[in-house]
């Protein structure tokens, strides 16, 4: 039986096991997927078990998306550019880090037919997932991207990779068509201390968070007559891409699949 897992800290909230185990069953693949709470010092051992094929594939989440990189043999071009890895697999005798968050975000935006070309995008947060969102927006033809973060230095660091983005001081809200919450604020129903009351309506508010279903960021945007979307489809599509890399099978994304994430 093949073995897969997602590593993170915390990891309790992860819906990846539920989704992958559902797809294994549907596709009659003899495999299991579990979540593993890992400490920093346990990372080398985890990579080693992949090397020995004791494990067949790994998803990586907060806070290891960057810190796992030195233990890998090579990166996909997307993982290299974003310095962010969420999927590991053994190719030949090498452990390769992939980034399927990029495709996850891109497919989620395409799924709802939102065209980012000639649109102004504003990203809140400079954590693990932000470079992937910037990469995906650029892929889709968005040329006007601003980024803010409470800790400005982290935003400046991302600008070293994506030189044409604009950095906004925390509290400054630039003109935008789409704003994306890429922080962890909202997971526990907290509020971002940013004021969107003057940004008008008919904008698009996107939250990477999907649990809770509607963060306060999305709730209040909806009250002000804006379009909203949570990160559920992004989560689904990144998992879909990881599954395809490991199993060379693209499972179905249908109503039943979306339903199990509720
Ligand atoms: P990491 O920072 O380890 O990459 P992450 O979950 O990927 O972890 O990112 C957390 C993001 O949420 C960061 O952008 C963080 O901002 P800081 O870099 O300033 O810490 C942001 N964040 C977390 N709590 C926040 C808060 N109370 N207000 C604003 N931003 C917050």
């Amino acid at each position: 039986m093949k073995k897969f897992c997602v590593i993170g800290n915390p990891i309790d909230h992860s819906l990846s096991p539920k989704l992958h185990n559902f797809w294994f069953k549907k596709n009659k693949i003899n495999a299991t997927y579990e979540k593993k709470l890992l400490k920093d010092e346990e990372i080398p051992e985890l990579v080693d078990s992949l090397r020995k094929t004791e494990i067949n594939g790994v998803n990586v989440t907060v806070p290891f998306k960057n810190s796992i990189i030195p233990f890998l043999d090579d990166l996909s071009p997307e993982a290299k550019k974003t310095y962010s890895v969420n999927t590991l697999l053994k190719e030949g005798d090498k452990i390769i880090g992939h980034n399927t968050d990029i495709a996850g975000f891109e497919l989620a935006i395409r799924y709802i037919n939102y065209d980012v070309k000639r649109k102004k995008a504003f990203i809140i947060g400079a954590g693990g997932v932000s470079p992937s969102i910037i990469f995906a927006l650029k892929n889709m033809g968005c040329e006007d991207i601003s980024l803010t973060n409470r800790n400005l230095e982290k935003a400046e660091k991302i600008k070293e990779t994506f030189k044409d983005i604009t950095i906004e001081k925390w509290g400054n809200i630039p003109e935008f068509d789409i704003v994306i919450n890429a922080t962890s604020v909202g997971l526990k129903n907290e509020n971002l201390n940013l004021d969107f009351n003057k940004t008008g309506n008919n904008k698009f508010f996107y939250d990477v968070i999907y649990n809770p279903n509607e963060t306060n960021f999305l709730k209040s945007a909806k009250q002000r007559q804006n379009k909203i979307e949570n990160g559920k489809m992004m989560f689904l599509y990144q998992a879909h891409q990881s599954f395809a890399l490991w199993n060379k099978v693209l499972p179905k994304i249908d109503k039943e699949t979306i339903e199990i994430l509720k």
Side-chain angles (χ1 to χ4, degrees), residues 62-63 66 125-129 149-151 154 170 182-185 192-193:
V62 174
N66 309 138
V129 78
N149 196 51
R150 184 178 56 174
N151 168 354
K154 269 166 77 179
W170 189 252
T183 73
S184 47
V185 181
L192 272 170
N193 63 337

Side-chain angles (χ1 to χ4, degrees), residues 225-241:
Q225 271 79 51
N226 293 286
K227 173 183 168 66
I228 62 163
E229 195 69 41
N230 71 17
K232 191 190 285 174
M233 292 312 291
M234 177 180 177
F235 169 74
L236 247 171
Y237 279 121
Q238 65 74 29
H240 200 230
Q241 298 288 312

Side-chain angles (χ1 to χ4, degrees), residues 47-53 71-73 90 93-95:
V47 177
D48 209 42
S49 56
L50 198 56
R51 216 177 276 289
K52 294 185 194 143
T53 329
F71 302 99
L72 309 178
D73 301 318
K90 192 171 164 186
D93 56 357
K94 287 195 167 143
I95 308 299

Side-chain angles (χ1 to χ4, degrees), residues 56-69:
N56 303 84
V58 177
N59 274 140
V60 182
T61 187
V62 174
F64 303 125
K65 287 184 180 185
N66 309 138
S67 61
I68 199 159
I69 291 177

